[in-house]
Amino acid sequence: MASDTQTRPTSTDVGTRRSLDLQRTLDAKIPAGPLQDKWDTHRFKMKLVNPANKRKYTVLVVGSGLGGAAAAATMAELGYRVKCFCYQDSPRRAHSIAAQGGINAAKNYRNDGDSIFRLFYDTVKGGDFRAREANVYRLAQVSVNIIDQCVAQGVPFAREYGGLLDNRSFGGAQVSRTFYARGQTGQQLLLGAYQALQRQIGLGNVEMDTRTEMLDLVLVDGKAKGIITRDMVTGKIEAHAGDAVVLATGGYGNVFYLSTNAKGSNTTAIWRAHRKGAFFGNPCYTQIHPTCIPVSGEHQSKLTLMSESLRNDGRVWVPKRQGDTRPPHEIPESERDYYLERKYPSFGNLAPRDISSRSAKEVCDAGRGVGPGGLGVYLDFADAIKRLGVEKIRERYGNLFDMYQRITAENPYEVPMRIYPAVHYTMGGLWVDYNLMSTIPGLFVIGEANFSDHGANRLGASALMQGLADGYFILPLTIGDYLAQVKAGDFNLEGGEFRQTQAEVNQRTERLLGIKGKRSVDSFHRELGRVMWDECGMARNDQGLRRALARIPELRAEFWENVRVTGESNNINGELEKAGRVADFLELGELMCLDALHRVESCGGHFREESQTEEGEALRDDDRFAYVAAWEFKGLGEKPVLHREPLSFENVQLAQRSYK
């Protein structure tokens, strides 16, 4: 269905007309000069902190996944005093361990035409031309150093028979640039960062606070100077001060309730910062992963991801005939539709995640889905097993196959896997400039918590790349440029700002416990998730988004009147933790829908049904929407203000994205 550009509503139709007068163009502080020289030139021009002075500065790092652990360990190695916080009982439990498939790097070990520029180009194109060129090129440059760093740490990357590091291909690329450790890449990389972090803890350079959740940000004279936390064991609310704050708290996919994220993954840290003045960039950009085990019932609290690496050897198909319920082995080749290979012959089963996900939804909506409810497609390894043998497939994917069999009681060596798209990653996050600093001076945001690098869609194996690039190689330098310009130790834990923010956190906690309503926290979260999935999921339209924007404030009001939070505040209380997180999701969900409504184009993971080509592909509107949308919080119930960061493309040509 072709879109009618003459009748599409404009961005001001969503009720932000009054706010447009207040917006400003954002300065990303991108260095001048040729693309390939920007980072090197910038590193030379940045101010440095004398080694003897670094020990005078305290940096607070919230989150200890790949980005947080790498940043904390590296800054401590440089000489800064670091305090690191995580809500898990160990940094090893950070959600980074769930990344299975691999990490991209432009090493060109296969001599197949890869290069830094090709990785840069693939990432910009994969993000549907909605990312900054300068940031993405820097990421591609730094990627080659990440592999060397991790090998030196002992990360057990897969190797070929001769001992050289192995590579495999991933969606959105025609070269093999993905380094992997079977299906445990995230876990192994995290262990490398964790041991670097533990070394600094042992040396006394990092103070590690586990089972500690950040509940608010403290500003002094407009600068980030501390955080307020809750000890999840004792319930104690405490203030922590530092010269800078780093948020490395991951994404907000759990706003949909069902996602591939760990149950504890939340938005509270970045949302609290947003409420204090940090702009939120592109909140509607949500990645739907095509390779997830389908939903099995209302009992589920999360979904399980099957690595995208499986699409290297697995072929995706559905029956050609609607309502065909025969077992897969009874359906002959002539009656199978290998739809990705048919629609995208150049990339086939390795088409990018957004395209693969929408294609799966399309065939299921047409009545050709498989499994219970018809919400599934086959991922079939029969041809690969015939070609390579069972042992080779087991060597590559054995732990993934075992996990699938334990969950579904089906043996994927004998029958095809059944998969369906699910919420996985969020490309949106707090807006940051080239130095990874938010609109609040002294507040830095790294990894999935920021909006940077991936545009409107993340290519597989690029999340680990960004987290480690930010943590090991970028933030430790750019934060030094900031600290060199501020006085060390210029904060006071007894100051009015700390006391006031701590009092506000206490009041919020007591308010949640005092409502004593009739509905559980989970019931509100489930309902919000259904609204978000139905109206702001794989496909969005004007009417659906307006329905969501009408329902979410009603649900939020009911939450604050009728939620039931059991237990007390002065000990372990999982319900209290969930309540605070869901309260923030109820605010974030509204902003996501507002952002999706204002962006009347389709790009990457943001697919507006009004904006598609005759072939059903995403149709961008570069004349009106080639910018980052950065939203400023103006108060609950007030319209947020939209600020724009224009995106310019000087090194890649804007073009309709094609993987055919």
Side-chain angles (χ1 to χ4, degrees):
M1 179 178 68
S3 63
D4 184 356
T5 57
Q6 300 302 311
T7 61
R8 290 188 300 188
T10 67
S11 60
T12 56
D13 287 339
V14 304
T16 58
R17 189 184 305 275
R18 178 174 59 85
S19 301
L20 295 179
D21 297 333
L22 304 175
Q23 67 184 243
R24 70 173 189 261
T25 299
L26 292 169
D27 179 12
K29 297 183 174 61
I30 297 171
L35 183 68
Q36 64 272 21
D37 297 334
K38 289 182 186 295
W39 177 232
D40 290 337
T41 302
H42 189 58
R43 283 194 299 171
F44 175 73
K45 291 184 176 180
M46 283 190 293
K47 298 183 184 298
L48 301 176
V49 179
N50 184 295
N53 289 333
K54 286 178 180 175
R55 67 178 69 98
K56 301 176 183 178
Y57 289 95
T58 299
V59 180
L60 308 182
V61 179
V62 185
S64 61
L66 279 181
T74 305
M75 288 188 292
E77 186 80 39
L78 288 171
Y80 296 109
R81 292 184 298 177
V82 178
K83 296 182 71 173
C84 187
F85 304 83
C86 72
Y87 64 75
Q88 300 92 348
D89 58 1
S90 167
R92 290 176 298 171
R93 292 185 181 272
H95 188 57
S96 299
I97 66 168
Q100 300 164 333
I103 176 171
N104 288 330
K107 286 286 198 181
N108 194 31
Y109 283 170
R110 290 290 187 91
N111 195 28
D112 55 1
D114 201 9
S115 65
I116 288 173
F117 192 88
R118 186 175 294 278
L119 174 54
F120 155 73
Y121 174 79
D122 286 346
T123 305
V124 171
K125 177 185 175 183
D128 218 350
F129 304 93
R130 290 294 177 261
R132 280 191 206 133
E133 281 192 339
N135 282 61
V136 177
Y137 192 86
R138 176 177 64 183
L139 179 63
Q141 281 179 295
V142 169
S143 72
V144 299
N145 299 327
I146 296 172
I147 303 304
D148 297 338
Q149 168 97 356
C150 295
V151 169
Q153 291 176 334
V155 173
F157 286 122
R159 294 179 181 267
E160 296 176 335
Y161 179 77
L164 299 177
L165 294 178
D166 195 11
N167 296 118
R168 56 189 179 198
S169 53
F170 246 63
Q174 292 180 308
V175 296
S176 295
R177 63 163 67 101
T178 304
F179 296 79
Y180 65 99
R182 295 189 75 183
Q184 306 170 350
T185 313
Q187 180 178 4
Q188 298 301 331
L189 291 171
L190 182 62
L191 288 174
Y194 170 72
Q195 66 187 14
L197 176 61
Q198 283 296 114
R199 176 174 177 269
Q200 294 302 320
I201 294 172
L203 292 171
N205 299 327
V206 175
E207 177 186 319
M208 188 74 221
D209 288 273
T210 60
R211 301 300 302 274
T212 304
E213 183 169 22
M214 172 183 162
L215 296 182
D216 215 334
L217 178 73
V218 180
L219 304 185
V220 179
D221 296 329
K223 299 178 181 178
K225 290 293 184 180
I227 61 174
I228 305 299
T229 64
R230 179 177 182 270
D231 186 310
M232 297 165 65
V233 176
T234 67
K236 185 177 181 181
I237 305 295
E238 294 182 289
H240 304 267
D243 297 287
V245 178
V246 179
L247 300 185
T249 51
Y252 49 88
N254 275 347
V255 68
F256 291 87
Y257 187 73
L258 286 179
S259 81
T260 65
N261 287 240
K263 278 296 292 178
S265 298
N266 63 82
T267 189
T268 291
I270 60 173
W271 189 254
R272 295 284 108 193
H274 173 60
R275 287 175 62 105
K276 286 293 178 72
F279 292 1
F280 208 116
N282 299 332
C284 78
Y285 286 166
T286 306
Q287 179 166 84
I288 312 294
H289 197 293
T291 317
C292 181
I293 297 178
V295 177
S296 60
E298 282 292 312
H299 64 281
Q300 282 186 273
S301 60
K302 74 175 300 294
L303 299 174
T304 303
L305 178 70
M306 290 285 100
S307 170
E308 185 177 359
S309 63
L310 294 170
R311 293 199 283 150
N312 276 291
D313 291 306
R315 300 181 70 191
V316 180
W317 65 276
V318 293
K320 289 183 177 179
R321 178 167 54 85
Q322 288 185 4
D324 191 338
T325 59
R326 289 177 293 174
H329 65 275
E330 294 182 6
I331 302 176
E333 283 289 318
S334 60
E335 297 180 33
R336 299 180 179 187
D337 180 13
Y338 294 92
Y339 57 88
L340 288 177
E341 298 173 32
R342 170 176 56 82
K343 294 172 65 177
Y344 309 103
S346 294
F347 284 74
N349 297 299
L350 292 177
R353 292 176 174 179
D354 59 323
I355 288 174
S356 300
S357 295
R358 284 196 297 273
S359 297
K361 181 179 186 295
E362 179 184 300
V363 295
C364 290
D365 288 349
R368 295 193 288 136
V370 301
L375 291 178
V377 301
Y378 288 129
L379 181 60
D380 197 338
F381 292 85
D383 287 352
I385 290 174
K386 183 177 180 180
R387 184 179 73 253
L388 301 171
V390 170
E391 289 307 313
K392 191 65 175 178
I393 296 299
R394 180 174 286 114
E395 177 185 326
R396 292 179 178 178
Y397 313 113
N399 60 316
L400 298 172
F401 276 45
D402 292 344
M403 182 168 66
Y404 181 87
Q405 185 168 2
R406 284 196 298 270
I407 292 172
T408 66
E410 298 174 4
N411 185 347
Y413 294 103
E414 299 175 358
V415 297
M417 289 184 178
R418 287 179 295 108
I419 57 171
Y420 192 71
V423 172
H424 178 54
Y425 188 91
T426 49
M427 284 74 67
L430 293 187
W431 184 91
V432 292
D433 62 18
Y434 189 73
N435 291 324
L436 305 182
M437 188 163 73
S438 72
T439 50
I440 297 176
L443 178 66
F444 293 79
V445 192
I446 64 176
E448 192 179 356
N450 73 30
F451 87 101
S452 183
D453 294 10
H454 304 300
N457 177 59
R458 177 177 68 81
L459 293 183
S462 288
L464 301 181
M465 176 174 62
Q466 186 205 351
L468 291 181
D470 287 355
Y472 282 137
F473 297 108
I474 300 173
L475 176 78
L477 299 180
T478 60
I479 201 171
D481 181 61
Y482 169 77
L483 293 174
Q485 303 174 65
V486 300
K487 180 181 177 182
D490 188 19
F491 47 77
N492 177 15
L493 270 173
E494 300 303 318
E497 296 88 348
F498 282 89
R499 289 186 174 183
Q500 179 181 345
T501 309
Q502 190 167 344
E504 292 170 354
V505 170
N506 275 306
Q507 291 168 6
R508 178 181 170 89
T509 300
E510 294 306 317
R511 183 183 176 193
L512 286 168
L513 289 167
I515 296 171
K516 301 188 185 303
K518 297 180 179 180
R519 285 189 63 177
S520 69
V521 176
D522 282 340
S523 73
F524 283 101
H525 198 177
R526 280 183 184 276
E527 183 171 350
L528 174 65
R530 283 193 294 269
V531 171
M532 295 299 297
W533 178 252
D534 291 343
E535 314 295 10
C536 197
M538 269 193 282
R540 297 104 184 249
N541 60 54
D542 183 272
Q543 288 185 335
L545 290 167
R546 291 183 188 276
R547 283 195 299 268
L549 286 169
R551 177 56 186 149
I552 293 173
E554 296 173 349
L555 187 62
R556 186 170 63 239
E558 184 183 354
F559 174 90
W560 284 104
E561 293 175 358
N562 197 31
V563 72
R564 182 179 69 253
V565 183
T566 56
E568 301 172 343
S569 63
N570 59 352
N571 53 31
I572 297 173
N573 190 339
E575 285 299 301
L576 177 59
E577 296 161 16
K578 286 193 297 184
R581 297 165 187 171
V582 172
D584 291 326
F585 280 139
L586 284 163
E587 296 180 15
L588 169 63
E590 184 176 11
L591 182 63
M592 291 172 66
C593 293
L594 186 66
D595 187 41
L597 185 60
H598 113 275
R599 188 172 285 277
V600 192
E601 66 163 353
S602 292
C603 55
H606 169 65
F607 188 78
R608 284 291 296 265
E609 293 176 355
E610 303 92 337
S611 302
Q612 52 183 305
T613 66
E614 293 182 358
E615 295 80 21
E617 302 293 342
L619 182 63
R620 295 195 322 271
D621 186 344
D622 295 328
D623 290 338
R624 292 195 298 159
F625 293 103
Y627 59 76
V628 177
W631 297 88
E632 179 184 6
F633 183 80
K634 302 301 289 186
L636 199 59
E638 298 293 323
K639 292 290 184 184
V641 176
L642 170 64
H643 304 273
R644 292 173 168 84
E645 180 203 331
L647 294 171
S648 60
F649 296 91
E650 302 170 358
N651 299 276
V652 295
Q653 182 179 355
L654 278 168
Q656 183 66 31
R657 194 170 52 138
S658 174
Y659 292 90
K660 293 182 180 297

